[in-house]
Structures are given as C-alpha cells and as structure tokens.
Amino acid sequence: MTREFDEAFHVCLELIREGRETLESVVARYPEYAEELRAQLEAVTWLFAHKTALEPRPGFVAASRRRLVARIKEGPQPAPLTWKDRLLQAFEPQKVAPIAFVAVLMVFLFLGGTIVTLARNSLPGDPLYSVKRNLEQIALATSIDKSRDAKHRLQFVEARLTEIKQLIEKGRSEKLQETVVYTRV
Amino acid sequence: MLEWHDQDDNELLRRAKDGEAEAFGELYERHVNAVYRFLYARLDNRLDAEDLSEEVFLRAWNSLNNYHERGIPFLAFLLIIARNVLIDHYRRNGREPKQVPIDDLQLRDKNPDPGEVTSLNVKHQELRQAIELLRDDYQEVLVLRFINDLSPTETAKVMKRSTGAVRVLQHRAIAALRKTLEEHYDQRIR
C-alpha cells in the first residue's frame, strides 16, 4: 500500500460516504489504482450496507437512559474531585509541558546572563572571579584565527590592569600579586 | 429548567464529574449508539449488546475522574472501555454464538415489524459471519473505521497504535474481508 493509494482510497471513501458519487465514478478518477480501489471499496460499501442492522431497537436508548440514571443515583456516588484532580484537569500536563519547558529555559537564560554580567565586573577574590577567568579561557580556546586570539589576549591584559587599579582604589592589595600573575595570558 | 441538549460534551462532563447523573444521562444518549454498534458488530445477540452498552457507561461513570481529555475524545474513552468489557464478556462466556429466537429479541419492543426485524437480523448474521472469520485486530479496525466512522487518528487512540499502523492494518483487514466475502458470499457483495 503506497501513500498515494491510501490518499486515493480516502478521497473515494468520503465521496461515497457523503453520497456525492458512486463507486464506479470515484474509481474512474484513479485509473492507475482502479482494480484495487474497486475491490476495497466494494468490501467497505458492503459494510456500510450492513450498518443499519446495528442500530439499537426503537425505545432502547430512552428506556436505558432512564434505567442508567436511576442506577447511578442509587449506587455510590463517585468521590468528589480532589484539589489535585481539579488542578490536573485545569492544567493538563500535555498542554502545560511545552509552556513549562520554555519558562524553565527562560529562567536558565536569565540566570546565566545575570551570572555572566556579574562575573565580568568581578575582581580577584570575588566569588564569581573564577567564572570570569573561565569565560576568558573559553574565548581563547575557541578563537578561530591568530589575529582574533591576539585581540582577546590584549583585551584580557587590559582587563587585568583595570582590575589592579580597582584593587588599589578599594585597598585590597593582598590580591595584587595574584592579579599581576594573571596578566601573563 | 436546564436544557441538557444545549450543553456541549465538555460542560456535561464537568457536571457529571460533580456528580450530576442527569448530565451523564445526556452523554449516554449522545454516545450510546456508537458504543452499541461497536459491541453488536462483535456479538451474536442484541440483548448482550444492550446489557454490555449499559455496563460500558456504568464503568465510565465509575472511572470518570480518571478521564482527562488529553486529546482523547470522550467517545474514544468509551470505546476503550467497550473493548475491555467485550474482552471480559468473551472470557466469561466464550465466543460460541448464542442463538436467540427472534421473538425473544422483541420482548422489550412495543411495536416490532416482523418483516423489518427479520431483515435486520439476517443482515446482522451476514455481518457477523463475515467478520468473525477475521483476526481480532482486523475485526476491530473495520468496526471502528467503517461502522463507527472514526477517523484513522481516533481509531489509533482506541486501539493504542500509531495512525500509520492503523492505516496499514485497515487495508489488510479490508483485503481479508474482501477475500472472505468472495469465498463465502460472492453473490452478495455487489
């Protein structure tokens, strides 16, 4: 069975089901599949013709509805919905999952961006200084050519000099020696 | 007075989950024909189909809180229960056909037309004899697709298979039905 045959079959089926065309006229639309389509559609129309024998007796539906409702009322009532059930119905997991995924992703991106920004302004001895140094190492490791690598190294030496200046201004001279070592990028 | 037929299925389900039996009664009236057809196509007598249809809805009522739409229409939920009810029925009673006299079938019917009743029973027997020779999954896909008029996607949900698998199964089932009809009922197929 090819996809094309399946599509042809469904087009024919709908036209016959809606009573818009006969089996012969729909089969004529697809001469390349005519034989197989006719065989399948004849079997299906045979089923359609027998559907009428499967309808409930007149009066059954109304009578059994009354009987069912009475049995339900007599029997134990279903447990009332818990807050968990109501929550699950209001926020069906399949619908909520993509939204939750995007929300979590945005939180991670926001936190990541905040950490990177704070790290860029950190000085030796600050908790995020190691993040700043690691980001610099990553930038160096991923430089695509020598000129860019040299540009990065120059930027980082300038950053160390700025850090030394800020450490002196803040009176944190105990980190000066360490920072001087870091200038050897 | 509350007009139940003005309410959509979701509203009726919400009310039924809150314990309103009448709302469930309206859902019953909307969907019982489909459930009945599904069962009667696989059973030999009308009374079993009627009893089992009611059982399907009673089970549905008792497990209503487990039904969260989640892309499964309520009819598909009912037909999944109907499958299980049918399996339980086969386990209890086997699959041997139980012939029920036509008179017995009409005991609850007020104005039976004997000619029409006989014609319908003959048609039902033809259908039963043709499809009961097929594999269970062939019977099921034929009934769901062409008796219950479910789409391939809805059929896939009831049968717990992929839509693609249902499409392939459907064509194989039709071919098998065609072969059976040619072998046993060639004069009746056209």
Side-chain angles (χ1 to χ4, degrees), chain A residues 1-14 30 32-33 36-37 40-41 44, chain B residues 141 145-146 151-153 162-172 174:
Chain A
M1 181 205 64
T2 62
R3 178 175 286 273
E4 289 76 20
F5 176 80
D6 187 52
E7 283 170 8
F9 173 80
H10 281 97
V11 169
C12 294
L13 186 67
E14 288 312 309
Y30 301 95
E32 67 276 31
Y33 302 124
E36 181 60 11
L37 270 179
Q40 293 222 352
L41 290 169
V44 172
Chain B
V141 77
R145 287 282 291 120
F146 307 115
S151 68
T153 310
S162 68
T163 306
V166 162
R167 285 181 189 277
V168 172
L169 188 71
Q170 163 198 294
H171 286 291
R172 288 181 182 160
I174 296 170

Side-chain angles (χ1 to χ4, degrees), chain A residues 7-8 10-16 20-34 37-38 41:
Chain A
E7 283 170 8
H10 281 97
V11 169
C12 294
L13 186 67
E14 288 312 309
L15 289 169
I16 293 172
R20 287 157 57 191
E21 288 199 33
T22 64
L23 193 148
E24 286 308 319
S25 68
V26 290
V27 166
R29 288 168 169 239
Y30 301 95
E32 67 276 31
Y33 302 124
L37 270 179
R38 180 177 288 105
L41 290 169

Side-chain angles (χ1 to χ4, degrees), chain A residues 23 28 38 45 68 88 109 111 118 126 133 150 156 173 183:
Chain A
L23 193 148
R38 180 177 288 105
T45 47
L68 178 78
L88 271 173
L109 288 174
L111 285 177
L118 290 173
D126 289 348
R133 294 280 295 153
F156 299 152
S173 54
T183 57

Side-chain angles (χ1 to χ4, degrees), chain A residues 23-94:
Chain A
L23 193 148
E24 286 308 319
S25 68
V26 290
V27 166
R29 288 168 169 239
Y30 301 95
E32 67 276 31
Y33 302 124
E35 194 182 340
E36 181 60 11
L37 270 179
R38 180 177 288 105
Q40 293 222 352
L41 290 169
E42 276 177 358
V44 172
T45 47
W46 184 89
L47 281 175
F48 287 164
H50 285 72
K51 257 169 80 168
T52 49
L54 299 174
E55 294 303 321
R57 289 176 298 111
F60 164 73
V61 174
S64 58
R65 175 180 172 165
R66 283 194 296 274
R67 204 162 45 240
L68 178 78
V69 169
R71 282 176 75 180
I72 286 173
K73 283 180 176 170
E74 283 168 14
Q77 295 297 305
L81 291 180
T82 62
W83 64 269
K84 195 178 164 189
D85 292 329
R86 289 186 191 278
L87 209 62
L88 271 173
Q89 281 173 23
F91 303 100
E92 290 173 16
Q94 283 186 341

Side-chain angles (χ1 to χ4, degrees), chain A residues 63-148:
Chain A
S64 58
R65 175 180 172 165
R66 283 194 296 274
R67 204 162 45 240
L68 178 78
V69 169
R71 282 176 75 180
I72 286 173
K73 283 180 176 170
E74 283 168 14
Q77 295 297 305
L81 291 180
T82 62
W83 64 269
K84 195 178 164 189
D85 292 329
R86 289 186 191 278
L87 209 62
L88 271 173
Q89 281 173 23
F91 303 100
E92 290 173 16
Q94 283 186 341
K95 289 180 187 167
V96 171
I99 299 166
F101 175 76
V102 171
V104 169
L105 194 68
M106 286 178 73
V107 168
F108 270 109
L109 288 174
F110 175 75
L111 285 177
T114 308
I115 288 170
V116 167
T117 308
L118 290 173
R120 280 194 181 140
N121 297 325
S122 65
L123 293 173
D126 289 348
L128 289 175
Y129 191 70
S130 61
V131 175
K132 182 181 191 176
R133 294 280 295 153
N134 283 330
L135 288 171
E136 289 175 357
Q137 293 306 315
I138 291 168
L140 286 176
T142 55
S143 291
I144 49 173
D145 54 41
K146 284 186 178 175
S147 68
R148 183 154 300 207

Side-chain angles (χ1 to χ4, degrees), chain B residues 24-35:
Chain B
F24 194 70
E26 178 64 24
L27 284 167
Y28 174 83
E29 189 151 344
R30 285 182 194 184
H31 297 293
V32 68
N33 282 15
V35 171

